[in-house]
Amino acid sequence: MLRSAAITQGIQRSPNRAMLRAVGFGDGDFNKPIIGIANGYSTITPCNLGLNDLTRCAEQAAHAAGAMPQTFGTITVSDGISMGTEGMKYSLVSREVIADSIETACNAQSMDGLLAIGGCDKNMPGAMLAMARMNIPAIFVYGGTIKPGKLGPCDLTVVSAFEAVGQFSGGRIAEEELVAIEKNACPGAGSCGGMFTANTMSSAFEAMGLSLPYSSTMAAEDPEKAESAARSAEVLVEAIANNIRPRDLLSREAFENAISVIMAVGGSTNSVLHLLAIARTAGVELSIDDFEQIRQRVPVICDLKPSGRYVTVNLHQAGGIPQVMKLLLDAGLLHGDCRTIEGKTLREVLANVPSQPAADQDVIRPLSNPLYAKGHLAILKGNLAQEGAVAKISGVKTPVITGPARVYESEEAALAAILDGQIQPGDVLVVRYEGPVGGPGMREMLSPTAAIIGQGLGESVALITDGRFSGGSYGLVVGHVAPEAAVGGTIALVEEGDSITVDARQLLLQLNVDEAELERRRAAWVKPEPRYRTGVLGKYARLVSSSSLGAVTDPV
């Protein structure tokens, strides 16, 4: 029996039915499945600006398919707006808040299925965590990517604006050009346009079978996005009838498929954090080392921003994620027997997709001519990161630097030094106490990394941090350093001028200081007082796990 029907037919039948009649239920509706539509609509960010329209499309389609949809709201944080501010500490925290709010609404009202609609970075992993926890039939509807901004012949994204600040401070562009880039970078609704975190996670969910084919790369403002939302509602009603649940789809093989696709498209470092968290919640064995193993066999075949030339709408026009998956499947790099929310296998979904990318485009390359022979997300270890760290090495010509440490206790201090011209070629910036516990909240470092690129230092300096990076960051940048500084990790012991080696070829992150000296520093280290003791950040800092485990707040 459906959960909703069990409630309305139970001991509390009359009061329950009375409440439901007030929101539109009639006599024939009480045995229909109740679908919760989690709507992340917000005017806070262009990423979520169009979600109300998609919610209405899904709601109408669910009604027509014989279900009773019930909509409720959940939050979002605009990473692009909060970037570089204290507010960015709430970004990763919002993933947990979104998951908690969806779980609370669906379980409190005994909903039979979930259709989650989101846009900005944490909407997707937050929804997926809730899906894995509740394990009721569920589907994710991505709000869609933004179309590129234009300035002359150039395609712009939000990252263009951040890099322009560095270019301006370095005297490489005039203020008029800086303002023109700012005004033209984001032309309308949709999530940030490159293969940044939102588009990376939407692509991963499509690969895992919890979103419809082609839906992860559609533009927010194109009519096909509304059509996809409606079709998603119909598929969910069918999944409820067939009892297809998230944990039926979230197998170890499905996670490997997602990682393979992320490597192929050049996706965000944040995907490592989010997939580890989702896997733990779903009860699937997945470790940070699995990303490195898959990286060794899956090349980067998509030429996408931030380090490449094209944006996500170009990928969609070239065949989208199904075209990428078909190439991987034919090469034995994808598990074709994994099931999808439609009840099909991945092999069946891809049956009619061409075996080679179209010859009239160069967004998606054949595997015989990849952009990079190996994946771009390298897992580095060493005495600076015993649990691991994540380096994004796409677009880096020389992924090896040994140089003096320039140590900063916060993102703001590092950014000020970069913009003030204090960083020299060969330096290794260390930004610490920005991890899950220490920040708290593990801020993204798009402002410093974009400033480094903007000042022309992208090939000659490295930046390491126990915080995160935006999906828009590139260069020799290493994040998620674990253990983090706030819990006594070696990154807390680094002193100004120490020699550090960042070697993405040897997968090494090493502080070149002898062990006796490190033990002396470790004995003298004093754990800092928490930056927040109360409120959501204080609560988060007390609960959160290491980034090497996904920075989850309910470890199992």
Side-chain angles (χ1 to χ4, degrees):
M1 181 181 290
L2 299 173
R3 296 203 303 174
S4 57
I7 290 293
T8 57
Q9 292 175 8
I11 296 174
Q12 299 298 319
R13 173 174 174 174
S14 295
N16 281 301
R17 289 192 174 217
M19 296 291 286
L20 289 170
R21 287 185 189 279
V23 296
F25 277 64
D27 289 342
D29 295 330
F30 291 104
N31 289 321
K32 294 177 181 178
I34 293 180
I35 291 175
I37 300 181
N39 179 9
Y41 167 74
S42 172
T43 59
I44 288 173
T45 170
C47 310
N48 292 36
L49 194 60
L51 301 192
N52 257 353
D53 293 337
L54 301 185
T55 297
R56 284 190 287 268
C57 291
E59 185 178 24
Q60 291 167 5
H63 265 301
M68 292 301 293
Q70 304 292 291
T71 63
F72 60 92
T74 187
I75 69 158
T76 197
V77 167
S78 173
D79 291 3
I81 295 172
S82 61
M83 196 75 68
T85 74
E86 192 76 358
M88 188 64 197
K89 294 180 177 181
Y90 289 86
S91 170
L92 186 58
V93 177
S94 75
R95 185 189 74 180
E96 311 305 304
V97 177
I98 291 165
D100 291 350
S101 67
I102 293 174
E103 177 192 2
T104 299
C106 287
N107 279 348
Q109 305 307 134
S110 299
M111 293 174 182
D112 302 299
L114 167 67
L115 186 147
I117 303 180
C120 202
D121 293 6
K122 307 308 173 299
N123 297 176
M124 282 149 287
M128 188 69 84
L129 286 171
M131 291 175 186
R133 289 180 195 173
M134 298 184 299
N135 202 32
I136 60 174
I139 193 167
F140 186 82
V141 174
Y142 181 41
T145 185
I146 197 171
K147 293 182 178 180
K150 295 287 185 181
L151 188 61
C154 299
D155 281 349
L156 300 179
T157 69
V158 66
V159 175
S160 306
F162 282 88
E163 291 179 0
V165 173
Q167 292 169 330
F168 173 70
S169 66
R172 300 174 69 197
I173 63 172
E175 185 174 3
E176 292 77 14
E177 185 173 354
L178 170 65
V179 173
I181 291 171
E182 176 212 312
K183 288 182 176 180
N184 289 279
C186 298
S191 298
C192 300
M195 190 47 67
F196 310 148
T197 302
N199 287 321
T200 299
M201 295 312 298
S202 68
S203 299
F205 288 1
E206 182 177 329
M208 298 169 89
L210 276 153
S211 290
L212 295 187
Y214 298 99
S215 66
S216 66
T217 53
M218 293 174 178
E221 296 180 333
D222 283 351
E224 65 178 344
K225 175 46 65 179
E227 295 165 5
S228 178
R231 177 58 187 154
S232 296
E234 295 168 353
V235 167
L236 179 58
V237 175
E238 294 166 5
I240 294 171
N242 295 318
N243 198 29
I244 300 175
R245 297 170 181 261
R247 291 193 192 178
D248 299 332
L249 310 179
L250 294 174
S251 62
R252 162 78 187 205
E253 292 75 16
F255 281 94
E256 291 182 357
N257 285 348
I259 297 169
S260 294
V261 166
I262 288 165
M263 294 295 177
V265 300
S268 167
T269 53
N270 284 312
S271 62
V272 178
L273 194 74
H274 298 323
L275 289 181
L276 287 171
I278 296 162
R280 287 181 68 81
T281 301
V284 173
E285 290 293 330
L286 189 74
S287 77
I288 196 170
D289 296 322
D290 292 316
F291 288 81
E292 180 59 38
Q293 292 174 12
I294 293 173
R295 182 183 83 87
Q296 293 293 330
R297 62 178 185 259
V298 178
V300 179
I301 59 173
C302 295
D303 190 3
L304 298 168
K305 290 180 182 293
S307 59
R309 292 179 293 166
Y310 295 107
V311 294
T312 305
V313 292
N314 301 130
L315 174 61
H316 188 64
Q317 292 158 0
I321 296 304
Q323 181 65 81
V324 175
M325 288 196 292
K326 184 59 174 280
L327 300 182
L328 297 177
L329 179 67
D330 288 350
L333 298 172
L334 213 66
H335 301 285
D337 293 331
C338 288
R339 294 173 64 204
T340 72
I341 189 66
E342 294 180 282
K344 302 175 182 178
T345 66
L346 208 54
R347 195 182 310 278
E348 290 171 335
V349 169
L350 301 175
N352 295 322
V353 177
S355 292
Q356 290 296 323
D360 62 351
Q361 58 81 44
D362 57 355
V363 183
I364 305 173
R365 297 190 181 193
L367 268 75
S368 59
N369 182 33
L371 211 61
Y372 306 102
K374 295 181 180 180
H376 63 302
L377 298 181
I379 305 304
L380 275 53
K381 291 190 174 181
N383 68 352
L384 258 175
Q386 294 95 330
E387 294 177 13
V390 184
K392 187 177 185 180
I393 58 175
S394 53
V396 178
K397 296 175 183 176
T398 308
V400 181
I401 289 180
T402 295
R406 305 298 310 279
V407 183
Y408 303 96
E409 308 298 318
S410 70
E411 177 187 0
E412 289 87 351
L415 179 61
I418 297 165
L419 295 178
D420 194 40
Q422 298 177 26
I423 304 304
Q424 302 301 316
D427 286 347
V428 179
L429 283 76
V430 178
V431 185
R432 64 190 180 191
Y433 295 103
E434 290 284 8
V437 174
M442 210 177 176
R443 284 193 290 182
E444 292 180 347
M445 304 289 163
L446 179 58
S447 296
T449 60
I452 288 170
I453 296 294
Q455 294 206 342
L457 296 170
E459 291 293 339
S460 59
V461 304
L463 189 155
I464 70 173
T465 180
D466 49 10
R468 298 182 293 132
F469 293 112
S470 163
S473 293
Y474 64 103
L476 192 51
V477 295
V478 184
H480 308 197
V481 172
E484 63 173 289
V487 300
T490 306
I491 191 172
L493 310 180
V494 180
E495 295 182 356
E496 185 80 9
D498 282 348
S499 172
I500 291 177
T501 295
V502 181
D503 189 337
R505 290 181 180 143
Q506 300 297 318
L507 305 178
L508 181 66
L509 187 60
Q510 185 77 16
L511 176 60
N512 301 313
V513 173
D514 67 63
E515 189 58 35
E517 172 62 15
L518 288 181
E519 284 303 317
R520 184 193 67 78
R521 295 182 188 180
R522 189 169 284 111
W525 178 75
V526 177
K527 184 179 177 66
E529 290 294 315
R531 288 170 168 164
Y532 291 84
R533 291 186 178 277
T534 60
V536 68
L537 292 182
K539 184 191 305 181
Y540 182 85
R542 290 191 296 273
L543 295 174
V544 70
S545 72
S546 169
S547 60
S548 66
L549 301 176
V552 293
T553 54
D554 58 345
V556 292

